[in-house]
Amino acid sequence: MRLSLPPRTRPTFTGRLRDARTVTLLGHWLGFAVAVCFVTGLVSHFLQQPPGPLADRLPSRPYWGYRLTQGLHVAAGIAAIPLLLAKLWAVYPRLFTWPAVRSVRHALERLAVGVLVAAGIFELFSGLLNTFQWYPWPFSFVPVHYAVAWILAGALLLHAAVQWPVIHEHLTRRSPGTLALPAEDGPDRRGLLAAVAAGAGAVTLTTAGQSVAALGPLNLFAPRSPADGPQGLPVNRTAAAAAVTEASLATWRLHVTGPRPYSVTLEELRSMPQHEVTLPLACVEGWSRSVRWTGVRVRDLLDRAGAGPDSACRVVSLESAGAYRVTRMGRTYAQDPLSLLALRLNGEPLSLDHGRPARVIAPNRPGVLQTKWVSRLEAL
Ligand SMILES: Nc1nc2c(c(=O)[nH]1)N[C@H]1C(S)=C(S)[C@@H](COP(=O)(O)O)O[C@H]1N2
Ligand SMILES: [Mo]
């Protein structure tokens, strides 16, 4: 245990760049990135798993809302990684503080910092691995990432409160009469901060192309290029993984339940009024892409089953197992004229991997809920 080394063998640190000012500035940036992640993560959580009474009130507009919040979530998380590494570099000498524990209060403070660091590392790296769809752990990503986010937020607030005097002092200090940084901020500190900012900016710009089309050409490191995949759109769960085959489609009909249940063939669906919308598919795993969808309005299908203008629905996929086989579409989404049971993507019939014969596409809705291979709509 390093913390119990006898005094003479403890390392000493002399670099002035690790002083309170650097630590505070880096903490300020990192805190901002973590706050963006936390807020956008909450948005994502509530759109995916709204508490009961809210399910029918979620906003289906702006149609690009989820794309924006999810893109920010992933970009801020990626930017936070170099910031966290720089911050840990700046503070790790404090691990060797001697005496290791001065008082009960000091012990609690150190414990809180330990929780903060562990939760921060866990959130950033589990999120990063999630964008690679790599789950090298035995637990389910979504609930654990969500729960640890609250631990991180609590530990961060506590840390900011305990350190408030230092934060306050270093954030308000300026050279008298000017807005310039204090004279003690020599070229070395400026260089360090500029390097950290450049690193955070570079990793963000070279990955943000996965959700920001204009940054596509700079997309060097993101696991996905949103234009790769059949019909120019990535596939998360393939038809093979979902055990949906051409054969299983041979007898396909869409069943719609409600006061006047009915079922239709694909031909019949194609002869109903078709609508065209351009909507993004915004995947929780970090990529987004806007494409043109053509199909029948969900609300027209529900109407025909005698469901009222306030009805929501349950969407059931042909897929026989899988966490997203059945999803609920609240009233605001089901009644939005942009919500389609899509049959075409960019003018062509859906490929099997994109959900042939029919899939859901709705505005401001997480990708995981844009159900593919739909076989039944149940009016609620
Ligand atoms: N039935 C079903 N639909 C599904 C899924 C699934 O696992 N099963 N995955 C969802 C996820 S996570 C995303 S991001 C989108 C991806 O759609 P795409 O493969 O057409 O790009 O489909 C969604 N629809
Ligand atoms: Mo997804």
Side-chain angles (χ1 to χ4, degrees):
M1 277 298 290
R2 283 234 170 95
L3 291 182
S4 57
L5 288 178
R8 245 170 306 133
T9 53
R10 269 183 289 125
T12 53
F13 297 91
T14 51
R16 78 172 197 105
L17 283 183
R18 290 188 164 112
D19 62 7
R21 184 158 174 80
T22 305
V23 169
T24 308
L25 284 169
L26 290 175
H28 199 65
W29 298 352
L30 182 58
F32 179 72
V34 168
V36 170
C37 285
F38 185 69
V39 172
T40 52
L42 284 188
V43 169
S44 184
H45 186 82
F46 285 110
L47 287 182
Q48 277 181 68
Q49 303 176 23
L54 287 186
D56 287 319
R57 290 167 190 240
L58 297 179
S60 59
R61 303 297 176 92
Y63 72 86
W64 41 261
Y66 190 73
R67 178 184 200 169
L68 177 74
T69 57
Q70 192 57 26
L72 278 176
H73 185 78
V74 175
I78 288 175
I81 291 173
L83 296 178
L84 176 71
L85 294 177
K87 171 104 178 166
L88 291 177
W89 170 82
V91 296
Y92 90 88
R94 295 166 190 220
L95 261 184
F96 304 98
T97 307
W98 200 262
V101 169
R102 286 194 304 270
S103 62
V104 172
R105 184 194 151 113
H106 186 225
L108 289 176
E109 276 173 27
R110 296 201 78 172
L111 183 69
V113 169
V115 170
L116 176 64
V117 171
I121 291 176
F122 177 82
E123 286 299 87
L124 295 183
F125 287 93
S126 63
L128 182 69
L129 295 190
N130 180 257
T131 71
F132 286 86
Q133 288 189 288
W134 185 29
Y135 304 101
W137 44 65
F139 51 81
S140 170
F141 171 78
V142 176
V144 177
H145 192 72
Y146 178 67
V148 176
W150 284 100
I151 297 175
L152 175 58
L156 186 60
L157 285 180
L158 184 66
H159 178 66
V162 168
Q163 298 293 339
W164 185 248
V166 184
I167 296 172
H168 185 74
E169 183 196 336
H170 287 271
L171 287 184
T172 50
R173 194 141 48 93
R174 305 240 184 258
S175 298
T178 76
L179 279 179
L181 293 170
E184 77 215 47
D185 277 348
D188 51 354
R189 191 196 310 278
R190 283 165 211 269
L192 172 73
L193 293 174
V196 172
V203 292
T204 309
L205 283 177
T206 52
T207 50
Q210 62 188 324
S211 53
V212 183
L215 292 176
L218 295 180
N219 183 2
L220 297 177
F221 300 119
R224 301 297 191 94
S225 155
D228 287 351
Q231 300 181 296
L233 183 71
V235 170
N236 254 28
R237 188 163 168 85
T238 60
V244 174
T245 59
E246 294 286 353
S248 59
L249 299 184
T251 56
W252 183 88
R253 290 175 78 88
L254 175 73
H255 296 268
V256 186
T257 66
R260 293 196 302 275
Y262 63 92
S263 74
V264 282
T265 63
L266 184 55
E267 279 315 305
E268 289 165 322
L269 266 182
R270 286 187 181 134
S271 65
M272 291 176 71
Q274 303 290 302
H275 295 270
E276 192 171 281
V277 301
T278 298
L279 285 180
L281 198 59
C283 177
V284 294
E285 280 158 342
W287 57 271
S288 302
R289 183 161 172 87
S290 225
V291 289
R292 202 155 43 84
W293 308 93
T294 317
V296 183
R297 280 184 178 149
V298 171
R299 73 175 188 200
D300 291 352
L301 291 164
L302 298 178
D303 249 19
R304 186 167 153 183
D310 280 340
S311 62
C313 68
R314 188 176 295 124
V315 181
V316 183
S317 169
L318 263 190
E319 193 183 356
S320 55
Y324 300 102
R325 191 180 80 83
V326 180
T327 52
R328 195 195 133 96
M329 185 184 265
R331 178 181 55 84
T332 43
Y333 290 107
Q335 300 301 327
D336 192 304
L338 292 182
S339 299
L340 301 184
L341 186 69
L343 309 176
R344 292 175 167 270
L345 192 174
N346 285 338
E348 297 163 30
L350 286 173
S351 69
L352 193 57
D353 280 337
H354 285 310
R356 184 161 77 227
R359 75 170 306 159
V360 156
I361 187 78
N364 195 28
R365 189 162 159 91
V368 285
L369 302 181
Q370 311 279 30
T371 315
K372 303 195 273 194
W373 315 291
V374 173
S375 62
R376 206 164 72 234
L377 292 179
E378 301 170 0
L380 300 172

